[in-house]
Amino acid sequence: GHIVRNWKVRWFVLLQDKLLYYKIEGGKKEPSPKGRILLDGCTITCPCLEYENRPLLIKLKTKTNTDYFLECCSREERDSWALDITGAIHAGHPVQVQELHRMKNSFKLLENISLHHIVERMYDSSAGIKLTRNLEQGNSYKETFTGSALVDWLISNNFAVSRFEAVTLASMLMEENFIKPVGARSTEATHYCNLSEQFLDDSTALYMFAESSKKNTSSKEELQFNISELSGTIVKQGFLVKQGHKRKNWKVRRFVLRADPAFLHYYDPTKEENRPVGGFSLRGCLVSALEDNGVPAGVKGNVQGNLFKIITKNDTRYYIQASSKAERAQWIEAIKPLT
């Protein structure tokens, strides 16, 4: 927001020369746009690292020097939006757009590698990355590691076969806010445009776990629990409206469906932390669409249409609303095989 600096869910529509955004009420976008961003003369920054706890940001600076910060659901979605917005900004320069496509397609996570699994291994007390006290320009930094040490560790643990691949993985770990630069040398590199240049394979560039710098750091046991639950492959994600368990009010939540292990987590898009506010195992769950005629049993408030219900193994009931019948069917079809 421009006046109150809070974060709100908005529905975006990209046109040839502008980006429109709409309010969402009851899971549907309002007919008239809430605002617009003119793309003529815009500059785009992606990834944008200005907010430590929001690694999935795109920053747009308009010709009149107005800054817009837009947060996406995933790295893939962020990169896709950034590519399409950049294409609209540079519509008259096809060579630049082709180069963006080439860079995007060359920067992909290797097959069968989970960033959560890498971080879990990095935390391991015996085989993980060694944390030491390091000096830079007279400043002392505790529990840090160098860029070259992380590259060596990734290769020795078979997460990468070359230093280039290891730098790519390390860049992704920094992008997703698992690790953070410490000190002038590594921090300065994050301002480079090319993703592959933002992490330094250098013995003088310092990094640390992003978790280490937070006041309310989770214990190692809690972190491992979260990682095991959140380590599955993302099958589907998007914004849905969910009924609360206590107040029975309806709120927009970002849902992430994972397999192996099968979990459905939901996030509050207005919160600073990129942590789930709830979630549950899908093993033994029942999922079904609800009738669109009238308000179904168990649903509070005048909420109708595109609803579905999930009943967990311990008989907890979740009532969720999609924005359309097609979206509801897609979610049900994605969840059923995982139950």
Side-chain angles (χ1 to χ4, degrees):
H2 286 294
I3 300 173
V4 180
R5 296 289 181 179
N6 54 357
W7 296 83
K8 292 184 177 178
V9 177
R10 293 288 183 254
W11 181 271
F12 280 82
V13 176
L14 176 62
L15 303 180
Q16 188 173 2
D17 61 344
K18 65 178 74 73
L19 192 60
L20 303 179
Y21 53 94
Y22 299 76
K23 288 182 70 175
I24 296 177
E25 293 292 341
K28 298 179 181 179
K29 75 179 180 72
E30 293 190 339
S32 300
K34 174 76 173 173
R36 64 178 183 169
I37 304 170
L38 297 178
L39 297 178
D40 180 38
C42 257
T43 57
I44 183 170
T45 304
C46 179
C48 170
L49 302 176
E50 292 190 28
Y51 287 84
E52 178 184 329
N53 295 324
R54 292 182 178 272
L56 302 179
L57 285 184
I58 297 170
K59 178 182 178 181
L60 291 176
K61 181 183 282 291
T62 67
K63 192 160 59 173
T64 57
N65 288 324
T66 302
D67 290 340
Y68 291 88
F69 295 92
L70 317 176
E71 183 177 39
C72 301
C73 292
S74 66
R75 178 170 47 81
E76 292 78 13
E77 185 183 53
R78 181 201 62 194
D79 293 348
S80 177
W81 271 100
L83 192 69
D84 290 338
I85 293 171
T86 305
I89 293 173
H90 301 295
H93 305 279
V95 174
Q96 283 183 304
V97 177
Q98 288 175 5
E99 176 65 12
L100 284 162
H101 275 282
R102 186 193 66 76
M103 285 177 58
K104 176 176 180 286
N105 292 332
S106 67
F107 196 79
K108 290 184 178 179
L109 189 62
L110 303 176
E111 290 291 329
N112 302 321
I113 291 184
S114 160
L115 294 181
H116 289 285
H117 176 58
I118 294 174
V119 175
E120 186 177 9
R121 288 282 296 277
M122 287 175 68
Y123 269 98
D124 188 277
S125 56
S126 58
I129 188 83
K130 186 177 180 182
L131 303 178
T132 59
R133 180 191 295 271
N134 285 284
L135 295 173
E136 186 197 49
Q137 298 180 354
N139 295 318
S140 177
Y141 299 97
K142 296 179 180 179
E143 296 188 330
T144 58
F145 47 87
T146 66
S148 57
L150 178 55
V151 169
D152 291 340
W153 184 87
L154 289 168
I155 293 172
S156 65
N157 283 270
N158 299 317
F159 289 117
V161 297
S162 67
R163 299 196 79 81
F164 174 78
E165 285 186 4
V167 168
T168 301
L169 273 178
S171 299
M172 288 182 172
L173 290 170
M174 189 166 64
E175 248 194 292
E176 301 300 333
N177 205 36
F178 289 117
I179 63 173
K180 60 178 286 186
V182 181
R185 176 133 171 74
S186 56
T187 302
E188 183 181 350
T190 62
H191 300 303
Y192 295 147
C193 294
N194 193 335
L195 287 175
S196 62
E197 296 176 358
Q198 292 185 5
F199 179 88
L200 299 179
D201 179 7
D202 193 303
S203 61
T204 63
L206 302 181
Y207 299 88
M208 68 188 300
F209 288 114
E211 288 287 335
S212 304
S213 63
K214 295 180 182 177
K215 293 180 181 178
N216 298 322
T217 304
S218 301
S219 67
K220 186 180 176 187
E221 292 74 21
E222 184 181 347
L223 177 71
Q224 288 178 336
F225 170 77
N226 289 336
I227 285 176
S228 66
E229 193 173 297
L230 299 170
S231 64
T233 304
I234 295 178
V235 176
K236 185 174 177 60
Q237 58 186 312
F239 290 101
L240 297 166
V241 184
K242 173 187 165 294
Q243 179 176 272
H245 286 295
K246 295 179 180 178
R247 296 185 181 179
K248 305 299 182 185
N249 52 352
W250 291 82
K251 291 185 178 179
V252 175
R253 293 289 181 252
R254 176 169 65 88
F255 279 80
V256 178
L257 176 63
R258 294 181 172 90
D260 301 321
F263 273 83
L264 184 63
H265 292 97
Y266 48 94
Y267 300 71
D268 184 345
T270 66
K271 295 283 188 183
E272 286 292 334
E273 304 109 11
N274 191 28
R275 292 178 176 273
V277 294
F280 51 92
S281 170
L282 290 173
R283 187 180 297 276
C285 281
L286 297 173
V287 57
S288 60
L290 297 177
E291 293 292 335
D292 288 342
N293 299 324
V295 181
V299 173
K300 302 296 182 182
N302 188 25
V303 179
Q304 303 177 34
N306 310 320
L307 293 165
F308 63 99
K309 175 174 65 175
I310 301 175
I311 305 175
T312 66
K313 193 174 181 180
N314 61 4
D315 203 35
T316 303
R317 293 162 189 258
Y318 292 85
Y319 296 95
I320 303 168
Q321 183 182 44
S323 60
S324 66
K325 287 183 180 179
E327 186 183 46
R328 175 177 65 181
Q330 290 168 6
W331 274 99
I332 292 174
E333 186 178 343
I335 292 170
K336 274 188 174 177
L338 303 177
T339 59

